[in-house]
């Protein structure tokens, strides 16, 4: 009786097989949203004369199903759901990696994280002069700055530490945030108990709940009178650990004391609950609502492309159904993330797209929409979605690729090649089995060989792991 | 950066803290059901003069959230939901074990599985003359038979193999089903490729979809004219692997050929999907509906206590939110199961109970309701719920206990002691954290010691593992 453990699931029968890869991946709670949604169809769309602003809002460790529009059973996210209803909700949106910093390397550079040594960190932790985005390296911000954009980053950077690396050295005019992977929401200490909050490169103090501090900064940034279009990276740490909602200052005080005394971990393995997690995500949602209201109030909502996504799949309190796995794995639960694009007046409202897209695509897309060009020495690994979004063209077929120290994945069409951390190869057909349980590795050896070879070809061009 | 993997969750904030342990464990899909539900309150209830029939319907590997009334996002189970609405839905219903056969030892004997060697199997697999329920051992069926009940078992037995063990030797008048843990839904081969379907102790052939064959037998059994009350154990194998819905005869033919040729496993690791799984559970639901209709049609619905439960938590395609873990683990996802009790006319309708109850309790309850008594040499480890259900008495506080070869668990109040298969101890407060992520092991050492000692005391009275 060779039984084996397992526990989580797609409901393709509900929706029917045709668009199963995308549509099936949404729960009942999402059904209400879906009923209103029309499939996004590529078509020629009038491009506004004025170049848009770009607001990129990143959640941190937010899982695929943590928003009501993506199926959350109890968390309610009306503002993000409304953002989705104002534009396009992607059901096959992927993060560049399954951990925090590599995805950010991908977003900021438009290239595979494995092209820079710092991008190999899972996540980046060492403070040295190697692991970061070099000051002469082009970024999303520097490319936009080069064509006249004002740029700012608020929140988590996580692509290299001072004194060697900083967002303000690679294209962001302004930075207010933390350099590392996580800070306490109130005290702003990092995992080592060291204070990590900066204004540019100068240490700053702000004891407000971090999500709120960032939100107020974003509102202020958006409201400024200016002549140039702008790019704002608003990188919340919500809902990353520690498990502290806006009411949990006492939890923060206790945890901070313990971390500073070496008597506890900021990762907070002895805290949190689904209730606290819900309060964090719903606070994130309200915060995004405030930022969107600022855009609306200032009359910029029609001139601003808003992208909302997460840096990786869900952590311990996340909801990732119908997927399996989570942060640190390359199962769908580790890399499929809520992905919303809104550009009222230019993109249609209330659409859903089942096209597979990945972090670096957004870099290429934004650079093209801004009228900039990628650096010839540093070509994008992402594909601009502009032909798909605005010019009536289909997205080209291309494999999506992920590489971690102990995991591999490649998606080609609906097939997914996965190598797990025990070194074993797997093959799944996501059109039938997004839950990744029916391993076709023995039944379809030719497909396995083909996808594995494609993986090795792409990986061969990247930096080795230490 | 000591981050760690994790992925799944309670929504106590939705419901409020008071009944968090129970009420919180239900999703939005369950909300509709819950809105109609009233808390079950213990009270004196008129006991009918006529002793009831007992229909025990067991699902196999059915996970906690696989019914719509328990939160399933897409599976629809109107018949089982209606059964719940006709009686009491338990939100803290537990199986005796996290795998198939030990729970059945618990149900049939009313005692911890670890009191018989066969109950130590995870699950029982060896065909020998030791591992089973001995012919002189009292069972639920023999005790009821002793007070005049007719008894039958349809479906999976899984408590010992021929020639030494059989349900008809320990109290069931009739048996039609399989002796082992799983059979193909059409061919009725077991994991070794050997045919396993019997009428009593005689091999039988029936190539119909197993769920349907059992359902027709149950309908026939219920419809028989008779003078005595009856006990029917209706042990479906649905939705246990192999992954075959009623339309999947071709899948069965392919898989059967492969298993018989030694070229595939009945566990079907290369098949199935959430869609197929949904078709299996919804077919189970319709089948239960047919059985209940037979009870209604025959006018026996008011004289029959119906218990529906699962033998353990969810397997790979199951939905166990807000729990973590699944079959083979002692996390809540491995042992919390849908548990419904209906006795129209005697028990109130539309109730929900958050009392922690476990498989062996049902044995004790049914024996008491039948007017029988446990055997003095084989006292029950379960607690009769009759005082709670019919006599206005509170359930006594008692620890719930689970023991597996590599896992331990004990629940006392809302605290849960867990030892996982790496030998590490954990402590969770289920009132806040049903998701079992906030490990209080270092914060509450005294509680840990207390619960661990309670576990060891109970375990000390049971058979050793080999």
């Amino acid at each position: 009786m060779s039984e084996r453990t397992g526990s989580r699931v797609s409901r393709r029968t509900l929706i029917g097989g045709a668009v199963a890869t995308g549509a099936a991946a949404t729960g009942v709670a999402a059904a209400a949203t879906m009923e209103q949604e029309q499939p996004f169809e590529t078509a020629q769309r009038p491009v506004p004369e004025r170049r848009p602003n770009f607001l990129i809002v990143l959640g941190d460790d937010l899982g695929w199903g943590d928003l009501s529009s993506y199926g959350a059973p109890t968390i309610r996210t009306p503002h993000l759901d409304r953002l989705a209803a104002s534009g396009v909700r992607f059901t096959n949106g992927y993060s560049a990696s399954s951990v925090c910093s590599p995805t950010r390397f991908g977003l900021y550079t438009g290239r595979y994280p494995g092209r820079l040594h710092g991008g190999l960190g899972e996540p980046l932790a060492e403070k040295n002069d190697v692991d970061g985005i070099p000051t002469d390296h082009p970024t999303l911000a520097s490319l936009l700055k080069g064509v006249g954009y004002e740029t700012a980053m608020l929140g988590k950077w996580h692509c290299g530490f001072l004194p060697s690396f900083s967002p303000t050295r690679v294209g962001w005019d302004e930075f207010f945030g933390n350099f590392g992977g996580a800070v306490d929401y109130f005290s702003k200490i990092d995992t080592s108990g060291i204070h990590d909050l900066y204004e540019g490169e100068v240490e700053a103090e702000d004891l407000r709940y971090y999500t709120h501090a960032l939100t107020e900064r974003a509102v202020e940034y958006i409201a400024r009178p200016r002549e140039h279009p702008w790019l704002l990276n608003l990188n919340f740490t919500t809902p990353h650990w520690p498990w502290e909602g806006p009411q949990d200052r006492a939890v923060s005080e206790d945890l901070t004391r313990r971390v500073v005394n070496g008597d506890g971990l900021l990762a907070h393995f002895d805290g949190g609950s689904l209730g606290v997690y819900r309060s964090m995500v719903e606070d994130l949602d309200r915060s995004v609502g405030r930022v969107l209201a600022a855009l609306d109030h200032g009359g910029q909502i029609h001139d601003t492309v808003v992208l909302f996504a997460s840096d990786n799949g869900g952590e311990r309190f996340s909801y990732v159904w119908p997927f399996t796995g989570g942060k640190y794995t390359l199962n769908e639960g580790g890399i499929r993330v809520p992905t919303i694009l809104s550009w009222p007046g230019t993109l249609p409202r209330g659409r859903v797209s089942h096209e597979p897209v990945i972090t670096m695509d957004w870099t290429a897309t934004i650079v093209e929409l801004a009228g900039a060009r990628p650096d010839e020495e540093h070509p994008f690994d992402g594909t601009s979605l502009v032909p798909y979004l605005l010019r009536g063209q289909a997205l080209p077929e291309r494999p999506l690729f992920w590489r971690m120290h102990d995991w591999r994945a490649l998606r080609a069409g609906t097939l997914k090649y996965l190598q797990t951390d025990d070194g074993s190869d797997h093959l799944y057909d996501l059109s039938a089995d997004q839950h990744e349980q029916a391993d076709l590795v023995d039944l379809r050896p030719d497909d396995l060989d083909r996808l594995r070879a494609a993986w090795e070809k792409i990986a061969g061009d990247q930096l080795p792991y230490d």
Side-chain angles (χ1 to χ4, degrees), chain A residues 10-94:
Chain A
S10 146
R11 74 250 30 190
R12 61 191 257 259
T13 51
L14 178 69
I15 318 274
V19 289
T21 318
T26 37
V28 160
T33 306
M34 289 181 63
E35 278 167 26
Q36 331 266 338
E37 286 174 344
Q38 305 282 327
F40 182 88
E41 285 172 18
T42 188
Q44 291 277 358
R45 299 181 200 283
V47 182
E49 298 225 343
R50 187 165 164 185
R51 290 181 303 167
N53 309 308
F54 298 97
L55 170 62
I56 302 175
V57 182
L58 219 51
D60 198 351
D61 287 3
L62 184 78
W64 197 83
D66 281 335
L67 306 184
S68 17
S69 42
Y70 280 81
T74 48
I75 295 173
R76 287 292 160 260
T77 54
H79 299 286
L80 284 161
D81 300 346
R82 203 150 46 228
L83 180 68
S86 77
V88 188
R89 189 175 69 88
F90 287 81
T91 61
N92 281 258
Y94 287 96

Side-chain angles (χ1 to χ4, degrees), chain A residues 223-269:
Chain A
R224 276 186 218 168
R226 55 162 72 79
E227 291 175 9
H228 303 290
W230 49 266
L231 162 73
L232 174 59
N233 287 79
L234 177 54
N235 300 343
F236 289 110
T237 58
T238 321
H240 196 294
W241 48 257
W243 311 114
E244 298 166 6
Q247 311 303 324
D248 292 328
R249 191 177 288 272
V251 176
S252 162
E253 285 168 3
D254 176 58
L255 187 62
T256 296
R257 187 175 57 246
R258 290 199 281 140
V259 173
V260 169
N261 291 345
D263 197 29
L265 295 169
L266 197 65
H268 211 178
F269 292 116

Side-chain angles (χ1 to χ4, degrees), chain A residues 3 6 78 93 150 165-166 177 186 260 263 293 297 326 369 438 441:
Chain A
E3 308 206 18
E150 294 183 19
F165 304 103
S166 156
F186 295 91
V260 169
D263 197 29
H297 184 71
L369 288 175
V441 70

Side-chain angles (χ1 to χ4, degrees), chain A residues 157-231:
Chain A
W157 156 248
H158 210 186
C159 282
F161 293 90
L162 289 175
S164 304
F165 304 103
S166 156
T168 54
R169 299 186 195 186
V170 287
W172 281 271
D173 299 327
E174 304 175 30
F175 172 60
F176 172 76
N178 60 307
F179 276 84
V183 286
D184 183 273
Y185 282 88
F186 295 91
S187 69
K188 312 300 183 306
I189 60 154
D190 69 9
T191 48
S192 314
I194 295 170
H195 185 260
D196 180 14
L197 183 67
Y198 288 79
E199 181 86 54
E201 297 185 3
V202 179
E203 203 172 339
E205 184 168 281
D206 189 329
L207 296 176
R208 290 175 295 176
Y209 188 67
Y210 197 24
T211 314
H212 297 172
L214 296 176
T215 299
E216 292 192 22
R217 288 284 187 132
V219 167
E220 180 273 319
Y221 186 82
I222 288 167
R224 276 186 218 168
R226 55 162 72 79
E227 291 175 9
H228 303 290
W230 49 266
L231 162 73

